């Protein structure tokens, strides 16, 4: 599990997790998310389930930062991530 604070305009480029499902809970703020071909705004108090192998990404939108909890294995083969666009995000601070 990780807690991330994501400033408006920052986020994660399109990527997928090779063998692990991911769950994201938006605690504060909002994200514009894309999951496969679908795009939507996900606001605070919502949970997103992302199956392994499905391309997804997000950017924080709104006047303030978004705070999210992400549940994903943190070690071993299950954590392997393939970035379709860009590099891993540097702007999300993990606390």
């Amino acid at each position: 599990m990780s807690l991330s604070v994501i400033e408006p305009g920052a986020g994660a480029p399109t990527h997928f997790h090779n063998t692990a499902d991911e769950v994201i809970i938006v605690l504060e703020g909002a994200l514009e998310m894309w999951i496969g071909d679908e795009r939507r705004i996900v606001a605070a108090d919502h949970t997103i389930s992302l199956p392994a192998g499905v391309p997804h990404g997000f950017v924080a939108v709104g006047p303030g930062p978004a705070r999210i909890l992400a549940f994903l294995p943190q070690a071993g083969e299950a954590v392997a991530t393939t970035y379709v666009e860009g590099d891993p995000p540097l702007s999300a601070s993990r606390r």
Side-chain angles (χ1 to χ4, degrees):
M1 176 184 79
S2 65
L3 171 65
S4 296
V5 178
I6 307 160
E7 295 298 325
T14 304
H15 65 283
F16 61 90
H17 307 287
N18 300 345
T19 60
D21 297 338
E22 181 177 19
V23 173
I24 295 175
I25 301 171
V26 180
L27 301 172
E28 292 178 7
L31 302 175
E32 179 182 2
M33 292 202 72
W34 46 96
I35 303 167
D37 293 332
E38 185 178 345
R39 282 187 175 263
R40 63 178 51 192
I41 301 295
V42 181
D45 300 324
H46 285 82
T47 301
I48 305 96
S49 177
L50 302 159
V54 175
H56 61 279
F58 58 84
V59 64
V61 294
R67 288 186 47 225
I68 65 170
L69 280 178
F71 295 86
L72 184 71
Q74 297 296 308
E77 283 297 312
V79 77
T81 300
T82 301
Y83 284 85
V84 179
E85 298 174 349
D87 295 317
L90 300 175
S91 56
S93 64
R94 302 214 179 239
R95 298 180 189 177

